[in-house]
Amino acid sequence: MTLSNEISEADAKPADTIEVVQHVPRPLGEVWRRLTEREGIEAFLGEGAMLGGKGDSWHAADGTYGVTRSYHPEQQVRVSWHADADAPATMVDLQMAAEGEGTMLTLRHEHLTQDMDREALVARWDAAMHRLTQI
């Protein structure tokens, strides 16, 4: 269950970036554990996706794919993300931090091109974070 959910696309970020922020009323360790289990990874990146270590590739059944760029337990996961085989590489950075008795999640999707549908991407990541945190 999510207590608050903010979606912002303006002011403090470059035009090639979207951001989705959620506060989850669950401890950081619990949220991290979920992200590192198959069900949580698939909730986040898509069916069939598996996260490995830095430099490992991932592929989801919907055609999205990328490479794990950064993996810091209970802090951050950063992956390159391609919408499909013809799409340019973008970066998805999921930061997490303990906040009170819960966890603050901040997802930034960077290096978007002008033709990418930002509203659809915001909706995608908002839904993914909701699925990820439904423990």
Side-chain angles (χ1 to χ4, degrees):
M1 171 184 258
T2 303
L3 287 180
S4 66
N5 180 30
E6 285 178 37
I7 301 173
S8 61
E9 289 190 68
D11 307 333
K13 291 178 304 313
D16 70 345
T17 301
I18 59 172
E19 185 172 273
V20 179
V21 178
Q22 289 185 12
H23 182 268
V24 181
R26 300 191 185 281
L28 176 60
E30 194 174 309
V31 174
W32 179 259
R33 204 167 25 261
R34 166 82 170 170
L35 177 62
T36 59
E37 296 170 348
R38 180 179 178 165
E39 187 177 87
I41 295 166
E42 288 186 340
F44 179 51
L45 292 175
E47 183 181 344
M50 293 300 297
L51 278 177
K54 186 175 179 178
D56 288 344
S57 62
W58 62 272
H59 296 81
D62 66 0
T64 56
Y65 69 97
V67 174
T68 303
R69 297 294 181 192
S70 182
Y71 187 92
H72 300 280
E74 296 189 7
Q75 295 176 358
Q76 177 206 44
V77 172
R78 184 173 173 89
V79 297
S80 65
W81 187 85
H82 297 260
D84 57 50
D86 298 322
T90 60
M91 296 299 282
V92 174
D93 184 67
L94 177 62
Q95 302 272 336
M96 55 188 66
E99 184 171 282
E101 294 181 16
T103 303
M104 182 62 70
L105 299 174
T106 303
L107 181 140
R108 291 176 61 98
H109 192 160
E110 305 167 333
H111 310 297
L112 303 177
T113 61
Q114 283 188 325
D115 62 329
M116 292 179 167
D117 185 342
R118 282 155 175 71
E119 286 183 29
L121 288 169
V122 166
R124 175 193 180 95
W125 295 120
D126 183 53
M129 289 172 63
H130 278 289
R131 287 189 307 270
L132 171 65
T133 58
Q134 297 306 306
I135 301 170

